[in-house]
Structure formats: C-alpha cells, structure tokens
Amino acid sequence: MPAQHDITNGTAQHDITNGTAQHVNTNAGEQQTPMPVNDTSTPMPVNDTSTPMPVNDTSTPMPTTAAPATEAPSVVANITVETLNTSITRTQCGTEELCASEPADCDPSQDSSCYFLSAETQNGNNFTFGLSGESEGYIAVSLSTDETVGNNDTTYVCANNNGKVKFFSTVLNNGQLTRAERNVGSVKGSVNGNKIQCTFVADAITAQTRAAGVTVAISTGPFNSSTDDLGSPNLQFKSNVIDLANPNATVTNTISNTTNSNTTTTTANPSNHGITFQQTLMQALLISFGILGLTLV
C-alpha cells in the first residue's frame, strides 16, 4: 500500500506491522535541523598578525657621517661708502669682538686720540671690522700672516675725502700702498674733524691662516683727495700674533712696548747730563781763576 501522510498533527507514523509507513507533518514551515558543517565561528588558525614579524628597529637611527660644514660665500666686492650714523664703541670687546687699541682700553666713541680696531667673525672667512683714529689723511688696518708687517699684506684704508670717507683695498709692501681688489662690502664711514671712523665686511683670511694666527697693524698716512694718492703709512699699533676670531685673545701693542723701553732708557740718563754740566762748570771756573791769576801777575 502507498504511504499515507497525515498532516493534521505533523507527526510521521510508521506502521511496521503492516509494512506501511505513515508520515504526518503537522507544520509544513518547520525548518529541519541542518546537517553539521564546518563551524565558521571559530576561524581557522592563521598567522597571528597582532605580533609583527621582526624587522630592523628604526627607533635607533643608523650611524651616519656628518656632512662637512659649508663655508659662507665670499663677500661681493662693493666699496661704495654709506654714512655711518653711530659711533664705533668698545662695548662688545671681549664678548663678541676682538679689539685692539692705543692707548689700551681707550673708547673710540669718547676719546679723540684713540686708535681702535674691532673684528667680529661672521661665517666662514668673513669678518666685520670697525676702524677709528685721528688723521688728516687716512687710517688703515693691515693683516699680516707673520710678525712682519709690510710684506704684501692686505690693507684696508679709510681716507678723509673732504669730510667724507673714501675706501680703498690695498696691499702694503715695502712701505708703499698699492691698490688691489679684495672682497669687501657693506662699507660705512664718517669724518668728524680729524676723527675718521669706518666699518666694513671683508673676506679677510682663510681658516688655516686664522688658526695659525695673524698680526694686525693700525696706521695713518697722508691722502691727496685730488689724485687719490696714498702716502706711506706710519704705524700707530702693531699686535702680537693673535687668533682674529677669538674675542678673548690677549692683544698688546708691540710698538708701545718698544717705545716705553726706549723712554725708560732715555729718562734714566738725566744724571749723566748733570755730571756733564758739573764738569763744564768746573772747567769754566778753573779757566776764570787762571785768567784772573794772570791779570794779577
């Protein structure tokens, strides 16, 4: 017999006595229990990305070789003189500027008879110079690579050109100044009576020369404003060998020391003059007595 399905109570009945199976489905919408499948709620084991694979630790930079320091470009040559509106002073001597002066510690903003030089390093070989002194013609600063000044030494000149500063870059050799182009710029100057002051920036010396030391000299001399002729310089200051870039360098005037020693020697001789005078007086008296004796005879 065919299988009978009773859908009234949703139960399937199997009659094994008569070999017929009855299936009763009381709820046609009931979902059957699915067959077991792979449980995707538990992922398959994969590489755990929460722990990164070992890589090079970039928190500590690899050692590198520092690039060599780049020196400042040379000063563009321009000796056009602008007006210097403020006086040169020594307020930054020993802190930012190396200073040389005669008399020692004189202030160019106050003292009239003061020869003064300041040098402040910029970048590379560039220096800012301040120069002040009394002269009817010019004042100048020379830079020598040894203790002898005047052997093809670069010399910067500030001249009194009818009440205004005229600037020259020159070379001093055998007591003569010869024009020579140098990298100089930012020139400023003023003239007050015979007092000449000027400032300028110059590509003065190489790093090697600076480390070895230089001698600086301040000089004065005559200037012909009609022909621009520069007369022979007269040294007013000559330093010991110094590091131009060191504001704390000890600077002494070797000319002053020589002059003082000569003065000391000279002032030690008045007694000799006194002795000579006494001898002359005795001789005069003896001669007088001799003449008197002859007269009496």
Side-chain angles (χ1 to χ4, degrees):
M1 293 292 290
Q4 297 180 354
H5 298 274
D6 186 356
I7 62 174
T8 59
N9 55 12
T11 61
Q13 299 177 348
H14 296 274
D15 187 356
I16 62 174
T17 57
N18 56 12
T20 62
Q22 297 180 350
H23 298 276
V24 181
N25 188 357
T26 60
N27 188 0
E30 181 181 355
Q31 295 179 355
Q32 302 295 318
T33 301
M35 295 295 292
V37 295
N38 291 333
D39 187 2
T40 59
S41 63
T42 303
M44 296 296 290
V46 295
N47 291 332
D48 186 2
T49 58
S50 63
T51 303
M53 295 296 290
V55 295
N56 291 332
D57 184 7
T58 59
S59 61
T60 302
M62 297 294 291
T64 57
T65 302
T70 302
E71 296 218 353
S74 297
V75 179
V76 177
N78 182 4
I79 58 175
T80 301
V81 182
E82 298 180 4
T83 301
L84 180 64
N85 294 316
T86 58
S87 178
I88 296 174
T89 70
R90 61 177 308 113
T91 55
Q92 295 181 326
C93 293
T95 56
E96 298 183 21
E97 298 175 344
L98 176 141
C99 295
S101 62
E102 177 58 38
D105 298 330
C106 71
D107 188 346
S109 66
Q110 303 294 331
D111 302 330
S112 57
S113 57
C114 177
Y115 298 101
F116 179 86
L117 170 71
S118 65
E120 180 179 359
T121 181
Q122 301 297 318
N123 295 319
N125 304 325
N126 301 341
F127 285 81
T128 297
F129 292 95
L131 183 61
S132 177
E134 289 272 331
S135 176
E136 295 181 356
Y138 67 80
I139 58 174
V141 54
S142 301
L143 303 177
S144 175
T145 57
D146 52 36
E147 296 182 5
T148 303
V149 176
N151 186 17
N152 288 323
D153 296 328
T154 297
T155 301
Y156 305 106
V157 180
C158 298
N160 181 352
N161 184 33
N162 299 318
K164 294 183 179 180
V165 168
K166 191 166 187 176
F167 187 89
F168 301 92
S169 56
T170 67
V171 169
L172 176 60
N173 189 39
N174 295 327
Q176 300 297 321
L177 292 171
T178 304
R179 309 284 179 82
E181 185 175 346
R182 292 290 185 267
N183 293 328
V184 183
S186 303
V187 184
K188 297 180 180 180
S190 65
V191 177
N192 184 7
N194 290 335
K195 188 174 186 178
I196 306 172
Q197 292 193 333
C198 62
T199 62
F200 54 94
V201 178
D203 180 5
I205 54 177
T206 64
Q208 292 81 0
T209 301
R210 185 175 68 234
V214 297
T215 298
V216 298
I218 304 173
S219 58
T220 59
F223 172 67
N224 188 327
S225 59
S226 299
T227 61
D228 283 354
D229 287 339
L230 298 168
S232 298
N234 300 310
L235 284 180
Q236 306 296 337
F237 179 97
K238 177 178 174 290
S239 77
N240 52 311
V241 177
I242 56 176
D243 178 2
L244 199 62
N246 180 10
N248 294 314
T250 301
V251 185
T252 57
N253 187 357
T254 58
I255 296 176
S256 176
N257 292 339
T258 303
T259 303
N260 290 338
S261 62
N262 291 338
T263 302
T264 302
T265 303
T266 302
T267 56
N269 290 331
S271 59
N272 296 334
H273 292 294
I275 294 172
T276 303
F277 176 75
Q278 292 175 1
Q279 291 174 343
T280 304
L281 180 60
M282 291 297 294
Q283 290 173 353
L285 290 173
L286 290 172
I287 293 172
S288 298
F289 282 124
I291 296 173
L292 180 59
L294 291 174
T295 304
L296 293 176
V297 174

